[in-house]
Amino acid sequence: METLFIIKPDAVGKGVAALITKRIQEKGFRIIDSKTLKLSEQEAGEFYSIHKGKPFYDELVDFMTSGEIVVLRLEREDAVRYLREVVGATNPSNANPGTIRKDFGTSVCTNAVHASDSDENAKREIAFFFKK
Ligand code: CDP
Ligand code: MG
């Protein structure tokens, strides 16, 4: 089973992308593919199209286009559910100790990482970045 993981511009900018990647590997995820890139406004809008119209949408698109991101295609048993557990709650203040967002996130927007929330969305998000 596969899922999509993104190290967001706040974490890449702080230089903790390698540290986060190491943690993911220690949790048993295998990296199938990866790339570092900067999203255009249009690409970020398309990736987060399910949130269009929500109060945080514009801030989210601004943030996600503010710097480079690292995108990882990951494989593991129970990948989608387990990665969400390892990542923690959307708001780092509500995230459990030991989760990536608790340790690296600084606000509900700048929460360090993205993880697909369902098998269906994982497929869509992997195709968005990796399938030609
Ligand atoms: O990323 P996750 O699936 O946990 O949360 P989401 O509800 O799908 O929201 C996507 C992203 O929008 C979050 O990861 C945050 O970066 C941002 N967001 C925000 O800035 N303010 C909120 N109230 C909710 C989400
Ligand atoms: Mg989500």
Side-chain angles (χ1 to χ4, degrees), residues 1-2 80 116-127:
M1 194 197 268
E2 293 187 8
V80 170
S116 306
D117 66 358
S118 65
D119 288 350
E120 190 191 338
N121 283 332
K123 281 202 190 75
R124 180 183 80 85
E125 293 175 358
I126 288 166

Side-chain angles (χ1 to χ4, degrees), residues 20-128:
I20 291 173
T21 303
K22 183 162 167 270
R23 255 206 216 197
I24 287 297
Q25 290 176 299
E26 284 167 355
K27 296 288 186 183
F29 290 93
R30 199 162 68 86
I31 299 168
I32 304 294
D33 207 347
S34 72
K35 55 171 76 165
T36 300
L37 60 110
K38 194 161 183 258
L39 287 172
S40 69
E41 204 175 309
Q42 194 197 319
E43 289 167 332
E46 192 186 332
F47 184 77
Y48 280 115
S49 57
I50 41 168
H51 294 306
K52 205 166 180 143
K54 292 186 188 169
F56 59 85
Y57 176 80
D58 288 348
E59 187 191 359
L60 175 60
V61 170
D62 280 354
F63 166 54
M64 289 301 291
T65 57
S66 67
E68 287 196 320
I69 60 170
V70 179
V71 187
L72 300 174
R73 179 178 182 173
L74 301 176
E75 185 192 63
R76 190 191 183 280
E77 191 191 330
D78 200 19
V80 170
R81 190 206 60 79
Y82 188 59
L83 186 63
R84 296 284 296 189
E85 186 180 313
V86 166
V87 158
T90 305
N91 188 338
S93 337
N94 302 330
N96 288 329
T99 60
I100 294 171
R101 282 172 168 168
K102 182 57 132 192
D103 292 345
F104 299 103
T106 50
S107 77
V108 66
C109 181
T110 57
N111 58 7
V113 293
H114 166 87
S116 306
D117 66 358
S118 65
D119 288 350
E120 190 191 338
N121 283 332
K123 281 202 190 75
R124 180 183 80 85
E125 293 175 358
I126 288 166
F128 183 88

